[in-house]
Amino acid sequence: MHGVEKMDTMKIGALLSFLTLSTLLAGCGGSGGTTGTMSLSVADTPVDSASNVVVAFTGVQLQRESGTAKTFNFASPKQIDLMATQNGNAAPLLDGVTVPAGDYQGIRLMIDASQSSITLTDGSVYPLTVPSGSQTGLKLVSDFSVAAGGRADFMIDFNLRKAVTLANDNYILAPALRLLDNQEVGEVAIMVRNTFMIGDASITSATCSPAVYVYSGSNVTPVDINTTSTIQPIETASLSLNGATSNYVYKVAFLAPGDYTVAVTCAANDDPTAVDTLTFSGTKNATVTTGTATSVDFP
């Protein structure tokens, strides 16, 4: 096997900004017109075991119940290193394209698996396999609407810690995507002091790879990522060392408004296919509101 078998957290957030047209097409739908414009970006969180994770996007499709409503094919694949888009940053896929107004049932991100790859921290490079990816792409089934002459913003988010596995010496990407309204999201800014203890381990210990886990709801008892428990983290991320303060930080962006539970663990490499025994810190509750950053400090 190459590198480590358990990938750390990564998130891809695809930002869909449907913006109002200054000049709208006449015909149907009243004075609001029939189209809007759209921008699409991708974002990520860091991963311990990789230095680069490159996905080659070849296009985007918007899906309606009756079939494909709009397809955008790129002149050449857009190879995006997801490791370069962290802490709420994003890389553009679409910028100001025109889309039909109306109701949609899903989004398809088309990719070229042959041009996608993962580079481990030891410098070794391996293909990133996406089952049927070059044929069917990455699909998100979720209802959303684009108002005629209106504005809507969405975020496609998936946690690659749940989606990237190593099997038979192949790194496999099989994500489950979720859709967020980008006009109704906030973030949690996390700071963990360098004196913090996680169980019997110091966060500064060489054996500690600190990561933060975020769960939906207050006072949740934290668990690892697995296929057994009904309670699962909605976001996980490796904590970064702040050189100026020597404390550990991370910003979990693109969270829907609501209550969350935040916990810290030393085991950043969590196998999504197995039940792992992780030691978590005492938890903290956080309430996220639209357009704001909620601070959570440990201890």
Side-chain angles (χ1 to χ4, degrees):
M1 294 188 179
H2 308 294
V4 296
E5 296 189 11
K6 297 171 282 188
M7 294 293 297
D8 187 31
T9 310
M10 292 186 295
K11 177 184 71 178
I12 297 180
L15 172 62
L16 288 73
S17 300
F18 300 93
L19 307 176
T20 306
L21 283 176
S22 58
T23 304
L24 300 171
L25 299 180
C28 55
S31 61
T34 60
T35 62
T37 59
M38 172 180 168
S39 299
L40 177 69
S41 304
V42 293
D44 178 47
T45 58
V47 55
D48 280 348
S49 56
S51 57
N52 303 92
V53 177
V54 175
V55 176
F57 297 91
T58 62
V60 176
Q61 286 185 349
L62 305 183
Q63 303 285 339
R64 282 184 168 158
E65 189 173 356
S66 58
T68 301
K70 188 72 173 180
T71 299
F72 301 95
N73 293 310
F74 304 147
S76 59
K78 295 186 178 183
Q79 291 182 299
I80 296 177
D81 179 8
L82 303 178
M83 297 295 290
T85 57
Q86 302 174 8
N87 276 294
N89 297 319
L93 285 178
L94 301 176
D95 184 14
V97 295
T98 300
V99 299
D103 298 327
Y104 293 84
Q105 280 69 49
I107 298 170
R108 177 188 174 203
L109 304 176
M110 296 177 288
I111 63 171
D112 184 349
S114 69
Q115 298 189 53
S116 301
S117 63
I118 180 170
T119 303
L120 303 185
T121 51
D122 64 3
S124 55
V125 182
Y126 304 99
L128 189 61
T129 302
V130 184
S132 302
S134 295
Q135 290 75 41
T136 62
L138 302 177
K139 296 180 179 179
L140 167 63
V141 179
S142 183
D143 294 340
F144 64 95
S145 298
V146 180
R151 176 188 175 97
D153 296 305
F154 297 97
M155 177 66 63
I156 298 176
D157 174 76
F158 61 94
N159 189 330
L160 291 186
R161 177 177 247 168
K162 299 180 180 180
V164 178
T165 57
L166 179 62
N168 299 320
D169 288 338
N170 293 314
Y171 285 96
I172 301 172
L173 171 63
L177 309 176
R178 64 189 183 104
L179 188 67
L180 297 170
D181 186 339
N182 196 60
Q183 294 188 95
E184 297 183 3
V185 295
E187 61 190 36
V188 175
I190 298 161
M191 188 278 292
V192 184
R193 297 192 183 280
N194 57 18
T195 56
F196 192 63
M197 298 293 294
I198 303 172
D200 295 330
S202 169
I203 194 170
T204 60
S205 170
T207 61
C208 182
S209 298
V212 61
Y213 280 49
V214 179
Y215 303 82
S216 180
S218 299
N219 301 315
V220 174
T221 300
V223 298
D224 71 313
I225 299 170
N226 61 72
T227 58
T228 302
S229 176
T230 57
I231 298 174
Q232 293 291 299
I234 63 168
E235 297 290 350
T236 67
S238 294
L239 290 164
S240 301
L241 181 63
N242 184 315
T245 65
S246 297
N247 294 324
Y248 293 82
V249 297
Y250 193 74
K251 180 174 65 178
V252 181
F254 312 121
L255 292 173
D259 295 324
Y260 295 88
T261 299
V262 182
V264 178
T265 180
C266 273
N269 292 315
D270 183 356
D271 187 348
T273 65
V275 177
D276 298 306
T277 302
L278 302 184
T279 298
F280 288 95
S281 65
T283 60
K284 299 270 189 174
N285 290 331
T287 298
V288 172
T289 57
T290 300
T292 62
T294 301
S295 296
V296 175
D297 295 344
F298 290 84

